[in-house]
Amino acid sequence: MEIRFSQERKLNRETWLRLLGVSEEHRKKAETDEKMRVSLDRLTEQMDEAEIMLFEAARPAFTYVVLDAGGLQVQGVSLAKHLEGCDRLVLMAVTLGNGVDELISETQGSKIALSVVIDCGASVMAEMATNLAEEQIREELASDEALGPNSDSVFLTSRFSPGYGDSPLEMQTQVLELLDAQRQLGITLSKGFMMSPSKSVTAIMGLADHPVTGRLATCEECVLKDKCPLRKEGKRCGVGEG
């Protein structure tokens, strides 16, 4: 299914800058440091250029499937806790398409700095596309008479992706197979469990007929705990004490 971006065609600059390694502290210093300000202005110009190129190259699309809870072999304590109380699952996959990969590859040879900006911007765009896909999935499930007469009887957890928490990246194999993602979206998987097109996302959501929210992995459960950029800044994406 096609994903349509809003007419504003804007990416979240704060997230984009963070992926590029530009912290909030760096931006504050640029207000008084001329050299840093000039550098940041140049980066902003590159982001403007990259944004236009990305929206021209991207062909965002998604697919999803609803399964009984036993239809997926759940791996990882954090994912099992996330799905507690859910008797069904929603698997989803989103991709920006091959055009974005081609754009990144083309610029790597002649405009390396711009290519890095495009790559990080594409990650922001993939997250935006996934949010839009989730919104559409929630709307469709709420109107599905087989699941319930209205949205009051359909509850979904937040998204949880393979490789997050202590859930192994190897789960991508069964998730993509259950979604028939290669035929539906052209997504393939390498021996190292990396998806192609590279700007693709898979996620699992729990589904129930009563309120559920899911559970984010704690820092101690996360495989990235020793190299997480958020932890280096004193921040966390999960819950609990880790």
Side-chain angles (χ1 to χ4, degrees), residues 62-126:
F62 77 99
T63 189
Y64 74 97
V65 64
V66 179
L67 303 172
D68 290 334
L72 176 73
Q73 184 181 351
V74 174
Q75 300 177 50
V77 173
S78 53
L79 176 57
K81 290 180 178 179
H82 181 74
L83 298 174
E84 283 181 357
C86 300
D87 57 0
R88 287 163 293 180
L89 307 174
V90 176
L91 307 185
M92 62 183 292
V94 179
T95 185
L96 296 184
N98 288 315
V100 170
D101 279 6
E102 292 170 0
L103 175 62
I104 295 170
S105 179
E106 288 168 3
T107 52
Q108 279 176 340
S110 57
K111 300 180 179 180
I112 298 177
L114 179 61
S115 181
V116 172
V117 174
I118 291 172
D119 195 334
C120 291
S123 296
V124 178
M125 179 181 277

Side-chain angles (χ1 to χ4, degrees), residues 18-205:
R18 178 171 58 78
L19 292 178
L20 287 165
V22 181
S23 66
E24 184 177 348
E25 181 182 358
H26 183 103
R27 281 175 276 164
K28 287 181 178 179
K29 286 183 178 179
E31 295 175 2
T32 56
D33 187 310
E34 184 177 357
K35 186 176 180 180
M36 293 178 69
R37 180 181 58 77
V38 171
S39 177
L40 187 57
D41 286 347
R42 174 54 185 152
L43 180 58
T44 300
E45 290 174 0
Q46 289 180 317
M47 293 169 74
D48 291 340
E49 182 181 358
E51 192 170 58
I52 294 171
M53 298 170 76
L54 280 167
F55 277 106
E56 289 179 349
R59 297 292 181 272
F62 77 99
T63 189
Y64 74 97
V65 64
V66 179
L67 303 172
D68 290 334
L72 176 73
Q73 184 181 351
V74 174
Q75 300 177 50
V77 173
S78 53
L79 176 57
K81 290 180 178 179
H82 181 74
L83 298 174
E84 283 181 357
C86 300
D87 57 0
R88 287 163 293 180
L89 307 174
V90 176
L91 307 185
M92 62 183 292
V94 179
T95 185
L96 296 184
N98 288 315
V100 170
D101 279 6
E102 292 170 0
L103 175 62
I104 295 170
S105 179
E106 288 168 3
T107 52
Q108 279 176 340
S110 57
K111 300 180 179 180
I112 298 177
L114 179 61
S115 181
V116 172
V117 174
I118 291 172
D119 195 334
C120 291
S123 296
V124 178
M125 179 181 277
E127 179 70 11
M128 182 171 71
T130 304
N131 289 337
L132 291 172
E134 181 183 337
E135 288 177 11
Q136 187 168 331
I137 290 170
R138 287 177 178 272
E139 290 174 2
E140 291 184 4
L141 292 178
S143 62
D144 189 339
E145 294 184 358
L147 296 174
N150 53 57
S151 59
D152 292 338
S153 60
V154 177
F155 299 90
L156 282 165
T157 68
S158 56
R159 301 192 302 265
F160 194 113
S161 293
Y164 173 69
D166 63 348
S167 175
L169 197 57
E170 289 83 345
M171 276 196 70
Q172 294 285 30
T173 301
Q174 64 166 322
V175 170
L176 291 174
E177 286 178 352
L178 289 166
L179 285 164
D180 194 16
Q182 182 170 359
R183 186 174 67 85
Q184 295 286 344
L185 299 175
I187 298 176
T188 58
L189 202 60
S190 72
K191 291 181 180 179
F193 307 104
M194 303 304 292
M195 289 184 285
S196 178
S198 64
K199 300 306 177 180
S200 300
V201 177
T202 60
I204 304 158
M205 295 185 288

